[in-house]
Amino acid sequence: MTRYSKQCIFLGIDRDSALRRAKVAVVGLGATGSVIASWLARAGVGHLTLIDRDLVELTNLQRQILYSEADIGTPKATAAVNILQRANSEIEVVPLIADLTSGNAQDVLAGYDLIMDGTDNFEARYLINDISIARQIPWIYCGAIGSEAMVWPIVLPQTPCLRCLMEQPPPAGDIDTCDSTGVLGPAVGVAASWSALEAIKILSGEEPATHLVRFDLWKNERQFISPPASRCKYCINKITEFLDDKWVVKASTLCGLDGVQIRINPPGNLDLEQFRNRLQARTGTDWKATPHTLTGTEGQLAITIFKDGRALIHGDITPERARSWYTEVVGC
């Protein structure tokens, strides 16, 4: 008996072997991404690149099954790789601690057979959709909120793209989030497991589902939604507006928390020890540096600066003031 013998009984030798030759990027290793990555690693997908910008937090553990209390404060990509390599040492699993932006998406997502959506925001999904348009790489939309689960395989040019269904991202205030609506762990598991199953179909040469699947598991609702039959101007003419968006610094209020997130485009590569010395002199307080983060306080603000240039500033501060602080201390 081999590791994949039960899977091989169902798929057959050729389709099972195709998984070993596949190269997949999982973007986002939170609730859905952690489940997707786990199933694909155990199925023997030959190469997985795991992309996430965040650290494991206590509130993640209710639904993000790859992590434990021991991983709190560790980059999700690093923690995920450590666990998945113990589950399957025969495949290549690579962590990438990165914020996906228009400035790096082309390089980060080039050369894969499939891109898996484990994100929690529409900006990243529209970037992935642009990569799919530009490079004809299939991807699978996956989302979960409350008790709802949604999955949609997008395989251009055979299927419509995300913008055929929804031309623009919904306004931020119109979107339910885990902080406003909550989310049930099993709903996450259903969405991500369905997504991983569609991935195995694509990677083994089978046709994926052509519809968007939606479940409300609390209300016992199931929908199979047919996408538009027509194609939008974006995928027809290969228009990639989100990839072409050349912003430099964004400051936005943290969802559900007091504070601001700073993002830069393209991501940088800060010398955290250099900034540690600068901030300790500026604030008169001790700052802690790890290979990936620098944390400390200035007055009533708790601040985390990431090696790629991002920053989280917790406390009573406006986005405008946070951006001013960032440009003064870090620069652009």
Side-chain angles (χ1 to χ4, degrees), residues 14 31 42 50 61 73 106 110 138-139 152 198 201 220 253 255 257 301 306 310 332:
D14 291 343
R42 292 171 188 277
L50 308 182
L61 302 183
Q106 287 271 24
W139 71 286
W152 185 26
E198 294 296 335
K201 287 183 189 178
N220 298 316
T253 303
C255 184
L257 299 169
L301 301 174
F306 293 82
R310 287 177 298 122
C332 294

Side-chain angles (χ1 to χ4, degrees), residues 3-4 19-20 37 40-48 84-85 88-93:
R3 179 190 294 267
Y4 310 111
L19 299 181
R20 240 66 71 222
L40 296 186
R42 292 171 188 277
V45 171
H47 175 100
L48 292 172
L84 295 180
Q85 285 182 328
N88 191 347
S89 61
E90 298 176 0
I91 64 171
E92 183 178 22
V93 191

Side-chain angles (χ1 to χ4, degrees), residues 9-304:
I9 292 170
F10 184 88
L11 292 177
I13 294 174
D14 291 343
R15 286 184 295 178
D16 180 69
S17 298
L19 299 181
R20 240 66 71 222
R21 299 188 296 271
K23 187 176 182 181
V24 175
V26 181
V27 184
L29 295 166
T32 55
S34 61
V35 177
I36 290 167
S38 183
W39 279 128
L40 296 186
R42 292 171 188 277
V45 171
H47 175 100
L48 292 172
T49 296
L50 308 182
I51 305 163
D52 196 282
R53 66 190 182 190
D54 292 328
L55 309 177
V56 179
E57 299 177 359
L58 178 63
T59 58
N60 299 153
L61 302 183
Q62 167 253 348
R63 63 199 179 281
Q64 298 183 19
I65 64 169
L66 277 182
Y67 315 119
S68 68
E69 292 177 1
D71 296 313
I72 292 173
T74 302
K76 289 181 181 177
T78 302
V81 167
N82 290 340
I83 291 170
L84 295 180
Q85 285 182 328
R86 292 200 296 271
N88 191 347
S89 61
E90 298 176 0
I91 64 171
E92 183 178 22
V93 191
V94 177
L96 182 56
I97 304 164
D99 184 20
L100 191 70
T101 72
S102 61
N104 68 355
Q106 287 271 24
D107 293 331
V108 167
L109 296 178
Y112 292 95
D113 300 305
L114 179 65
I115 302 169
M116 301 300 293
D117 168 29
T119 70
D120 60 1
N121 67 88
F122 277 97
E123 180 181 352
R125 289 177 176 129
Y126 277 76
L127 274 175
I128 294 170
N129 193 68
D130 272 6
I131 291 290
S132 182
I133 290 171
R135 297 181 178 266
Q136 300 291 282
I137 300 172
W139 71 286
I140 300 179
Y141 175 99
C142 181
I145 189 74
S147 60
E148 293 187 30
M150 290 167 288
V151 174
W152 185 26
I154 297 174
V155 185
L156 300 178
Q158 293 93 326
T159 72
C161 79
L162 179 61
R163 301 192 76 174
C164 295
L165 180 68
M166 188 164 44
E167 182 173 313
Q168 297 293 337
D174 293 347
I175 305 171
D176 289 331
T177 69
C178 293
D179 290 302
S180 64
T181 303
V183 64
L184 294 178
V188 168
V190 169
S193 294
W194 194 290
S195 180
L197 182 66
E198 294 296 335
I200 291 172
K201 287 183 189 178
I202 292 172
L203 297 172
S204 63
E206 292 294 300
E207 291 294 323
T210 58
H211 40 252
L212 187 155
V213 180
R214 175 191 169 271
F215 297 104
D216 188 319
L217 298 151
W218 196 259
K219 298 178 181 178
N220 298 316
E221 296 175 356
R222 295 168 178 81
Q223 290 178 291
F224 295 84
I225 303 167
S226 296
S230 60
R231 301 292 194 266
C232 69
K233 65 182 180 182
Y234 303 99
C235 60
I236 289 174
N237 299 316
K238 296 194 174 180
I239 300 170
T240 54
E241 290 181 333
F242 293 88
L243 278 176
D244 299 334
D245 185 11
K246 301 305 180 186
W247 57 273
V248 178
V249 179
K250 284 185 179 179
S252 55
T253 303
L254 290 169
C255 184
L257 299 169
D258 289 332
V260 172
Q261 176 178 229
I262 301 286
R263 299 173 61 212
I264 67 169
N265 185 35
N269 185 22
L270 301 184
D271 182 339
L272 294 180
E273 193 59 40
Q274 173 189 342
F275 282 103
R276 178 175 179 267
N277 295 335
R278 182 188 303 178
L279 284 162
Q280 287 188 157
R282 173 189 171 99
T283 64
T285 59
D286 186 47
W287 286 67
K288 179 181 178 182
T290 72
H292 306 289
T293 62
L294 178 64
T295 57
T297 60
E298 181 167 325
Q300 299 301 308
L301 301 174
I303 301 165
T304 300

